[in-house]
Amino acid sequence: MWLKPEEVLLKNALKLWLMERSNDYFVLQRRRGYGEEGGGGLTGLLVGTLDSVLDSTAKVAPFRILHQTPDSQVYLSIACGANREEITKHWDWLEQNIMKTLSVFDSNEDITNFVQGKIRGLIAEEGKHSFAKEDDPEKFREALLKFEKCFGLPEQEKLVTYYSCSYWKGRVPCQGWLYLSTNFLSFYSFLLGSEIKLVISWDAVSKLEKTSNVILTESIHVCSQGENHYFSMFLHINETYLLMEQLANYAIKRLFDKETFANDPILDDPLQITKRGLENRAHSEQFSAFFRLPKEEALKEVHECCLWIPFSHFNTHGKMCISENYICFASQDGSLCSIIIPLREVLAIDKTNDSTKTVIISIKGKTAFRFSEVKDFEQLVAKFRFKCRAASAPYHDISTEVPISSDSTDPSDNIEVQSLTCQRECSKTVNTEALMTVFHPQNLENLNSKMLKEKMKEQSWNILFTECGRGVSMFRTKKTRDLVVRGIPETLRGELWMLFSGAVNEMAANPGYYAEVVEQSLGTCNLATEEIERDLRRSLPEHPAFQSDTGISALRRVLTAYAYRNPKIGYCQAMNILTSVLLLYAKEEEAFWLLVAVCEWMLPDYFNRRIIGALVDQAVFEELIRDHFPQLTERMTDMTFFSSVSLSWFLTLFISVLPIESAVNVVDCFFYDGIKAILQLGLAILDYNLDKLITCKDDAEAVTTLNRFFDSVTNKDSPLPSSVQQGSNVSDEKSSLIKVDITDLIRESNEKYGNIRYEDIHSLRCRNRLYVIQTLEETTKQNVLRVVSQDVKLSLHELDELYVIFKKELFFSYYWCLGCPVLKYHDPSLPYLEQYQIDCQQFRVLYHLLSPWAHSANKDSLALWTFRLLDENSDCLINFKEFSSAIDTMYNGSFTDKLKLLFKLHIPPAYTEVKSKDPSKGDELSKEDLLYFSQLHGKGKVDIQAYLSQWQDELSKKEESIKDLPRMNQSQFIQFSKTLYNLFHGDPEEESLYQAIAVVTSLLLRMEEVGRKLHSPTASAKEFSGTVCASGGPSEGKTESHLKKDPSSLREEPQWSFAFEQILASLLNEPALVRFFEKPIDVKVKLENAKTSQLSFRTKM
């Protein structure tokens, strides 16, 4: 590797370096201890230790080249190499390209300047194709070289960053270097002759956390496949941990999360990932989640400034966050003040000429925001003005409160006409009013105490709107939260849910979208629509709105439209209950966008087949229970009780367990605070019932206790009619319970557990996501092993090891074969056995690693034929059951089983004539050859009916009889014989095996000749006998030369064939052959060797 020229004082360097070559201008040196027997003694050990611990060029490579000028003690380092071949290549290039040119210069200074310029040019040329894009490219290139040298990973493996740290091996810390790449966490240390090399794939990490104890003040704990690893003594441990957390979750998403992978362009190209890119991505995710903005909004700039609060008459200090379409502000002084300004709302941007560095942003509704102490405020104003001009398309309003923008560039008159036309057409089918206003209009003439309280709530909100503004750009303060906790008034719920959830922004960005989706989705029939129809009448069946066609039709349209919009989620149970409540308080189109907000960013991954998001939040909930109620966790032996009980709490936001009039108050808090509100309420419920839960004897009693509590929850201020209120319809027995008001319960949850921060929840989610995914993967593995173990002789432990190798090979393809069309991502919706399948190329790698016949010269052909034999449905993929059946036969099969397998490999459909496109490679097949031959006679994927039929045949299939096997023809038998010769090569009994196969071949040919003479006296097989057998032994070469000389001879002579029984009977007569195939194989050693060499073997290929 060429290095940026740096000065080296040769006088001091000679103690650590040895001269290998030199000329008038350059010196090639070798590091002491490298390439010497015994490591160069004590000096070599000390040098190696220094190289590992110290951060210098010396630690990178054992060879280097220095540029020297006569009569000077100062040298310049210009190149280094990890091995002799690499450094020699650089030396030869210098001699051939530089040495002749240097003689024309008159002064040493000119020579040095020329060499420096040339080397810098070479580095710049290399940099065009290099992955080194960090702040210090030179230092990063050194680390990249050591990373490649130490771990031998493919060049596609992208190094993201590296850190100096200690790895704890037992109670001893080993100082070294931690390398974080896209797919691996790697550590290297060399101390006094003791080398530690650790490579952990991110997808195998089940736990990643920061810990501290008496010995380790602060460390990072990594658990992978049951092994614990601790790293400490970081300079910036928080930065390191966050980056590791991102990379681990990134790998999990790329490998296991189909939905996220498909929607995230960055995951498609891991080679573009950098440390800075990951940090920016984390900030953008935090930004969009906090302000509830569309996921596409990336954080562009952050400025510290002060915002003038007009109703409080003071400046609050905080940060202005700017994205492509929004200007946001969040205070940092405890006032809990935040605002969101969409650029579509901005009318003017001004600046003051005084020293306050003030920016004034005026928006629609005669509101202005004043930001002061803004750094570079003049440039910022210019940027804002440019952005506002770009976003200055005309706007229109769908309602008085919610401004809606248009992406169209048509004149405003046309837009208004189109919008009104679209609304009129939409109104024919879509409800433009919330169901609550239709079925329960407020009677202003008959105001009871509850209605008066409701009006007082409305008045409180109107006062807030007067102070803080109304709509998307309102000030959100502590007072806003307090009003939400008290419960949002019925008439304002739809508007404020849209506002706090961020759905208003999505709706504004997509005018007319819902009407289009409704029209396109009407009449569609699939699994999702069938499930929707089945659940329509189960959604709040006691409410009048859903006892009529109006409510049912609206619910059908919203759910069907969402299933059409997002087929990856489609429809999931619990979505119907949530949507029913949304339709009560929001217009139909608004209810659709609220459902989008809940499913796609407020509760990510909740509504899919594996409900991963809900499982993750349940794990977070369990951690919070351990922290806050240690006495309860000591009493409960199994924490899964809380998971089973709380699943419906998370999926339906308590709507399924609380009366509807109480549940809507919970939904109010959820749209304002997100999942934090649900977690806080869950803790408050457990706290309220703590004494009763501790005394419960079993889970059933605990469930009964919680159900009784939910029945006792009321909303004493609810203005809903008693016929609708579920809490008022309880039996006399339940009405004797002590009532708990939902407002008091929510207020208590905020007071006791309001200190839970968003950042803590995010960190807990990331950490537990790893655990949940690995638990699900373990369940998949156990189910697969249970099915497969019934059909093979391998032990469960051996099957487990084999499954790990099988899956790891598949993941290696995910890591580095980005263009692989079939194996794009993991699909958890498939049956367990079909979730992980390998293609022919991956099978070849595993065959080379695991097969006892992999030493054969034609091993690639054997791997291809075995794959074709296993690929019964011709989809060019095989699952673990098919794979393990072949490996089991090779390891544990009887003589007859192994011979039958070899026999079947040499007859159709497995057998096909194989010839490499590149004759120089001999029997070795390229990746393209494998792909071509594996697809021959392919039928494509079978449909579902064919799959079910095949499954039924599998259940009723009897053991295959050897009499059912077809006969082997002439050319197939020749190849079968050649395969046997290849298998015997290198065996201790090689000669006797060759002799035995020659005897068997001659016997079979004579038997065939005798049989043929009985039917046709002219037929003869003597000629082939001569090619297979020559005086005293076999000759594969003669067979091949005869076939090459006269390939048409086989076609001219009458074809002859052999039955499997004939071959089996003949081979059984030869003890050497029987011993060869019945030779026991140490499966444990074979699997262990495969595991340790899998990564390096894959790298070579």
Side-chain angles (χ1 to χ4, degrees), residues 795-813:
S795 68
L796 267 177
H797 177 71
E798 290 167 347
L799 268 179
D800 192 302
E801 295 285 300
L802 190 63
Y803 183 88
V804 170
I805 295 169
F806 177 89
K807 184 176 163 184
K808 182 56 69 179
E809 179 55 38
L810 185 64
F811 281 5
F812 285 159
S813 297

Side-chain angles (χ1 to χ4, degrees), residues 508-524:
N510 298 280
Y513 174 86
Y514 176 65
E516 292 174 14
V517 175
V518 167
E519 187 177 345
Q520 292 165 2
S521 64
L522 282 177
T524 55

Side-chain angles (χ1 to χ4, degrees), residues 766-1052:
C766 288
R767 191 165 77 210
N768 283 285
R769 187 179 185 84
L770 298 175
Y771 169 75
V772 167
I773 290 286
Q774 295 299 350
T775 302
L776 291 172
E777 286 301 300
E778 183 64 25
T779 303
T780 299
K781 181 175 78 171
Q782 294 305 326
N783 282 309
V784 169
L785 297 186
R786 190 174 65 249
V787 172
V788 173
S789 62
Q790 300 170 10
D791 301 323
V792 297
K793 296 175 183 175
L794 291 165
S795 68
L796 267 177
H797 177 71
E798 290 167 347
L799 268 179
D800 192 302
E801 295 285 300
L802 190 63
Y803 183 88
V804 170
I805 295 169
F806 177 89
K807 184 176 163 184
K808 182 56 69 179
E809 179 55 38
L810 185 64
F811 281 5
F812 285 159
S813 297
Y814 288 138
Y815 294 167
W816 304 306
C817 303
L818 302 177
C820 191
V822 181
L823 303 162
K824 187 81 173 176
Y825 35 57
H826 172 52
D827 187 354
S829 64
L830 293 172
Y832 287 124
L833 273 172
E834 307 302 319
Q835 286 186 22
Y836 293 116
Q837 301 183 87
I838 57 174
D839 64 9
C840 194
Q841 168 66 8
Q842 293 153 348
F843 179 79
R844 171 171 67 169
V845 176
L846 292 175
Y847 187 91
H848 288 188
L849 280 170
L850 293 165
S851 174
W853 303 336
H855 62 277
S856 172
N858 65 336
K859 58 188 174 186
D860 280 357
S861 299
L862 283 175
L864 170 66
W865 297 331
T866 308
F867 181 85
R868 284 170 58 89
L869 178 67
L870 298 173
D871 183 23
E872 292 182 2
N873 63 352
S874 302
D875 65 350
C876 300
L877 294 170
I878 63 170
N879 60 36
F880 181 70
K881 183 178 181 181
E882 295 162 336
F883 171 76
S884 59
S885 66
I887 297 297
D888 183 61
T889 301
M890 295 178 200
Y891 285 169
N892 300 317
S894 64
F895 175 79
T896 305
D897 293 333
K898 292 177 181 177
L899 195 64
K900 189 201 293 186
L901 175 60
L902 280 172
F903 183 88
K904 289 166 78 172
L905 295 183
H906 292 82
I907 57 174
Y911 179 75
T912 183
E913 290 191 21
V914 175
K915 189 175 182 182
S916 176
K917 295 176 184 176
D918 185 357
S920 64
K921 290 188 175 181
D923 290 325
E924 187 180 336
L925 298 176
S926 67
K927 187 176 179 180
E928 292 72 23
D929 292 336
L930 272 179
L931 185 64
Y932 170 74
F933 289 122
S934 67
Q935 292 175 342
L936 283 180
H937 314 300
K939 306 167 194 169
K941 281 191 176 287
V942 295
D943 60 25
I944 191 67
Q945 293 298 327
Y947 183 82
L948 291 172
S949 173
Q950 180 186 341
W951 186 51
Q952 187 65 35
D953 294 342
E954 190 76 22
L955 291 174
S956 59
K957 188 164 64 176
K958 298 177 182 176
E959 188 166 344
E960 184 181 48
S961 169
I962 59 175
K963 293 183 180 179
D964 298 331
L965 293 171
R967 296 175 70 86
M968 181 181 280
N969 68 26
Q970 188 169 324
S971 61
Q972 293 161 4
F973 182 71
I974 293 171
Q975 184 59 58
F976 178 73
S977 303
K978 290 169 68 176
T979 296
L980 289 177
Y981 291 143
N982 287 328
L983 289 180
F984 301 152
H985 181 67
D987 192 88
E989 294 187 70
E990 183 176 358
E991 285 302 318
S992 57
L993 287 167
Y994 281 167
Q995 187 66 37
I997 197 62
V999 170
V1000 168
T1001 306
S1002 300
L1003 176 62
L1004 285 168
L1005 291 170
R1006 284 199 295 272
M1007 287 168 58
E1008 180 62 22
E1009 187 174 6
V1010 170
R1012 190 163 292 281
K1013 280 181 179 178
L1014 294 175
H1015 296 91
S1016 174
T1018 59
S1020 172
K1022 283 182 181 177
E1023 190 170 347
F1024 177 71
S1025 175
T1027 65
V1028 176
C1029 173
S1031 59
S1035 174
E1036 183 185 345
K1038 290 183 180 179
T1039 305
E1040 290 177 345
S1041 62
H1042 173 76
L1043 293 175
K1044 287 176 185 174
K1045 190 187 296 181
D1046 190 8
S1048 63
S1049 61
L1050 295 176
R1051 297 189 190 94
E1052 292 170 1

Side-chain angles (χ1 to χ4, degrees), residues 398 404 497-498 501-515 517 558 562 565 582 586-602 671:
I398 285 180
I404 305 299
W497 284 358
M498 287 289 289
S501 67
V504 62
N505 295 313
E506 282 288 342
M507 186 168 149
N510 298 280
Y513 174 86
Y514 176 65
V517 175
V558 173
Y562 187 77
R565 165 191 166 87
L582 299 179
K587 299 171 186 176
E588 189 175 317
E589 183 179 7
E590 294 174 346
F592 171 79
W593 287 111
L594 284 168
L595 183 63
V596 169
V598 172
C599 294
E600 295 181 14
W601 65 81
M602 293 194 75
F671 280 127

Side-chain angles (χ1 to χ4, degrees), residues 303-305 316-320 329-337:
H303 297 273
E304 287 202 19
C305 62
T316 180
H317 179 260
K319 288 185 178 179
M320 179 196 292
F329 176 88
S331 65
Q332 293 183 298
D333 58 5
S335 62
L336 299 177
C337 176

Side-chain angles (χ1 to χ4, degrees), residues 229-230 262 364 402 410 419 473 568 649 713 715 720 807 815 860 885 923 952 1031 1069:
H229 308 277
Y230 293 90
K364 297 173 185 177
V402 185
D410 293 341
S419 173
S473 298
K568 295 180 180 69
W649 304 358
V713 175
N715 186 350
L720 291 179
K807 184 176 163 184
Y815 294 167
D860 280 357
S885 66
D923 290 325
Q952 187 65 35
S1031 59
N1069 288 325

Side-chain angles (χ1 to χ4, degrees), residues 596-626:
V596 169
V598 172
C599 294
E600 295 181 14
W601 65 81
M602 293 194 75
L603 296 178
D605 296 334
Y606 262 59
F607 301 98
N608 53 32
R609 290 181 183 272
R610 301 205 292 179
I611 56 171
I612 289 175
L615 296 176
V616 169
D617 282 344
Q618 282 183 297
V620 172
F621 188 50
E622 285 182 17
E623 280 208 45
L624 293 173
I625 292 171
R626 289 191 192 96

